[in-house]
Amino acid sequence: MCAVVINFIGHNVVNPPGFLAYRPNGQGDYLAILSHSSAYLQYGERVVEFKPNHLLIYRKGTTHHLFTGEREFFLDFIHFDMNEKDLTFFEGLGIPFDVPVGIASSFQLSELIRMIVMEKNLCQAHGDQIIQRMLECFFMKVSDMVHVPPEIDSRHRYYRTLYPIRSELYSQPSRGWTLAEVAKAANMSESYFQHTYRKVFGCSFQADMTLYQHYLEKNGEAVNWYISHFDNQDF
C-alpha cells in the first residue's frame, strides 16, 4: 500500500491559447498531467506534440516546458510527493517518467481524478484513506493502460467531442443549460446526444447536471476555494 501525498490536484482545467509553463528545475514535487487535447512539449531544441489521451509524469526536479498553440488545452493534473518505499512501488508498475505515453482511455483516469477532488473537498473522517485507495487504483490503472495500444479506446469515438462541452457545463453550472443547446453544440440531434452522452459518461446529461448541482450545494465553500486557486489555468 502506497502513501502518496497530494499537494495540488486539478480536474477539467483549461489552459488558454498561448499558455506557457516553463520551470527549469520543476516545481519541487512529482507532476502527472493527463491530456484531453493537444499541447506541445519542448526538450532542449526538440519540440514534440503532447497529444490527447496521453499521460506525462514528471520526476521531481525535471524541467517542465509545456506550451499551447492556437487552441485551448484541456487537462487534469496531480502534484504529488512520495517516499523511497512509494517510489519502489511506483517503479514496479513500469510507468515511465518524463515522456508522454499513450493510454487506452483517458476517461477512466479522469473520473478517478474527479472523485479524488470531490473526496478532498468533503473533508470526511475516512477521506485520507479513501483518497489513498483511489490513488493506488489510478496508478495501477495507468500501469495497465500503458501496455495497451492507445488506438483501443474503451469508451467512445465521441469522447473528444463531448469532453470540452462537459467541461463548459461544469464551469458554468448556474447558467441553466438546455438539452437543445448542448445537443446543437455537439452537432447532434437531442435523442442521439442523450444516447451518446450516457454511453460516454455513464449517466444522462440531466442526471449529470443534477448530481453536480447537488455536489456544489453541499460543498460550495470548498469548490469556490478550488476555483479561485486554479482560475489562472495554471497547474
Side-chain angles (χ1 to χ4, degrees):
M1 182 174 65
C2 68
V4 173
V5 176
I6 295 177
N7 297 325
F8 299 102
I9 185 168
H11 178 252
N12 277 338
V13 176
V14 184
N15 291 148
F19 174 82
L20 170 66
Y22 178 60
R23 307 179 185 113
N25 300 310
Q27 200 165 329
D29 56 10
Y30 296 86
L31 171 61
I33 305 173
L34 180 62
S35 64
H36 301 296
S37 59
S38 291
Y40 299 93
L41 301 165
Q42 187 153 349
Y43 298 92
E45 299 296 320
R46 186 168 62 98
V47 174
V48 299
E49 183 181 1
F50 190 9
K51 297 179 180 179
N53 287 321
H54 277 64
L55 180 76
L56 169 63
I57 302 181
Y58 283 118
R59 284 185 183 271
K60 186 181 297 187
T62 298
T63 297
H64 302 174
H65 195 169
L66 179 148
F67 60 96
T68 58
E70 298 179 353
R71 297 183 178 180
E72 296 173 324
F73 177 45
F74 296 88
L75 72 151
D76 304 327
F77 70 86
I78 308 175
H79 279 277
F80 62 97
D81 274 312
M82 54 185 173
N83 58 32
E84 289 300 319
K85 183 178 179 180
D86 299 327
L87 183 58
T88 300
F89 163 81
F90 193 91
E91 291 178 338
L93 295 175
I95 303 171
F97 285 105
D98 301 329
V99 293
V101 291
I103 53 178
S105 172
S106 62
F107 172 81
Q108 295 178 28
L109 298 181
S110 186
E111 282 297 286
L112 282 168
I113 291 174
R114 181 182 67 84
M115 291 168 65
I116 292 171
V117 170
M118 294 177 69
E119 191 62 43
K120 284 180 70 67
N121 289 334
L122 290 173
C123 301
Q124 294 181 336
H126 299 291
D128 289 343
Q129 294 96 316
I130 292 170
I131 288 171
Q132 285 302 314
R133 299 302 183 275
M134 286 194 286
L135 279 171
E136 290 177 19
C137 289
F138 178 86
F139 289 123
M140 287 189 286
K141 177 59 71 174
V142 170
S143 178
D144 287 344
M145 287 184 174
V146 296
H147 300 105
V148 175
E151 293 78 16
I152 302 175
D153 193 321
S154 63
R155 298 302 296 184
H156 199 280
R157 65 190 178 96
Y158 283 113
Y159 175 73
R160 295 182 188 179
T161 299
L162 295 183
Y163 185 91
I165 294 174
R166 194 192 198 199
S167 298
E168 183 70 15
L169 298 176
Y170 276 16
S171 69
Q172 301 183 57
S174 61
R175 176 175 164 178
W177 299 91
T178 66
L179 174 61
E181 63 180 321
V182 293
K184 183 179 180 180
N187 197 28
M188 300 177 186
S189 68
E190 293 182 23
S191 60
Y192 190 66
F193 176 84
Q194 288 178 303
H195 169 78
T196 305
Y197 196 97
R198 181 184 294 276
K199 189 166 185 179
V200 172
F201 297 118
C203 63
S204 70
F205 157 69
Q206 292 90 343
D208 199 11
M209 293 300 97
T210 299
L211 288 171
Y212 191 63
Q213 285 282 7
H214 180 63
Y215 166 68
L216 290 178
E217 290 169 3
K218 291 185 63 178
N219 303 280
E221 183 177 345
V223 171
N224 288 335
W225 178 94
Y226 175 77
I227 291 173
S228 68
H229 278 67
F230 292 100
D231 193 43
N232 291 327
Q233 285 82 42
D234 203 353
F235 57 86

